[in-house]
C-alpha cells in the first residue's frame, strides 16, 4: 500500500486536537497535582492531626477502633490455618473523613484566594480603562439642534 494514499482515520486527528487542547492538558496537570496534594493531606491527618487528637482523647489511636464481626457459618481460616477475623474498621473511616474535610477546606481557601486575585485583576483593568472623553462644544450644540428638530416634528 502506498503511504501517500493512506489517510489517517478522522478520530485520530480529533483525538490529537483534544489531547493538545489546553483544557485536556490542564485537567491532566490538575489530576496529578491533586494526587500529590491528597498524599500531603493524608500525611498531615495521619501524622500530625490524629496524634494531637488522640492526645486529647487519652492516647486513643483511631486506627485501633474496630468492631469484630461474628462468624455465622463456621470458622473461616486463611492459608496458614489461622482463623480469619472480619472487622469493621470505623476508626480508619473517621480518619478518612477528617482527611477529606481538611482537603476540602484547603481547596476552598485556594479557590477563594484565586477568586480574590481575579477580582483584583478585574478592578485594575476597570481602573485602567479611561472614561470616554467629554463631548466637544460643537457636538453638544449639534445634539441640542437634533433634539429641537425632533420636538418640532
Amino acid at each position: 500500500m502506498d503511504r501517500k494514499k493512506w489517510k489517517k482515520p478522522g478520530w485520530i486527528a480529533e483525538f490529537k486536537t483534544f489531547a493538545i487542547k489546553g483544557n485536556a492538558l490542564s485537567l491532566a496537570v490538575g489530576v496529578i497535582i491533586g494526587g500529590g496534594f491528597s498524599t500531603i493531606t493524608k500525611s498531615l491527618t495521619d501524622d500530625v492531626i490524629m496524634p494531637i487528637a488522640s492526645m486529647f482523647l487519652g492516647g486513643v489511636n483511631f486506627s485501633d477502633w474496630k468492631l469484630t464481626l461474628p462468624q455465622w457459618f463456621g470458622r473461616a481460616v486463611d492459608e496458614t490455618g489461622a482463623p480469619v477475623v472480619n472487622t469493621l474498621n470505623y476508626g480508619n473511616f473517621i480518619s478518612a473523613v477528617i482527611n477529606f474535610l481538611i482537603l476540602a477546606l484547603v481547596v476552598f481557601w485556594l479557590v477563594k484566594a484565586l477568586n480574590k486575585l481575579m477580582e483584583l485583576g478585574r478592578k485594575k483593568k476597570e481602573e485602567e480603562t479611561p472614561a470616554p472623553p467629554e463631548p466637544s462644544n460643537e457636538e453638544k450644540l449639534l445634539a441640542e439642534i437634533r433634539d429641537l428638530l425632533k420636538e418640532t416634528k
Side-chain angles (χ1 to χ4, degrees):
M1 176 185 243
D2 188 12
R3 294 195 78 166
K4 293 180 182 177
K5 292 182 181 179
W6 184 72
K7 187 177 179 185
K8 292 180 187 175
W11 67 269
I12 292 177
E14 188 176 347
F15 178 74
K16 184 178 175 184
T17 304
F18 167 77
I20 294 175
K21 256 182 158 177
N23 294 341
L25 292 175
S26 297
L27 179 64
V29 169
V31 167
I32 292 167
I33 291 174
F37 190 69
S38 175
T39 303
I40 291 170
T41 57
K42 180 166 177 31
S43 175
L44 175 69
T45 303
D46 295 342
D47 301 331
V48 177
I49 293 173
M50 290 311 212
I52 293 171
S54 79
M55 187 173 67
F56 290 111
L57 295 172
V60 175
N61 185 358
F62 284 140
S63 62
D64 293 337
W65 291 7
K66 52 183 101 179
L67 179 66
T68 303
L69 300 174
Q71 298 286 336
W72 285 324
F73 301 106
R75 296 270 308 157
V77 292
D78 62 7
E79 302 85 32
T80 63
V84 175
V85 179
N86 290 325
T87 57
L88 186 67
N89 302 322
Y90 62 91
N92 290 340
F93 178 73
I94 292 171
S95 294
V97 168
I98 292 171
N99 185 26
F100 169 77
L101 292 174
I102 291 170
L103 182 64
L105 186 63
V106 170
V107 168
F108 170 75
W109 285 337
L110 286 174
V111 168
K112 190 170 180 161
L114 286 173
N115 286 342
K116 188 74 167 176
L117 285 173
M118 291 177 67
E119 184 179 319
L120 288 174
R122 276 189 235 117
K123 283 183 181 178
K124 283 184 180 179
K125 192 173 185 180
E126 289 173 1
E127 289 173 1
E128 291 174 1
T129 306
E134 187 72 25
S136 66
N137 289 336
E138 291 175 354
E139 290 173 338
K140 289 178 184 176
L141 182 61
L142 288 171
E144 286 178 20
I145 294 170
R146 180 197 63 212
D147 294 342
L148 287 172
L149 287 173
K150 282 183 182 177
E151 287 176 8
T152 58
K153 286 185 180 179

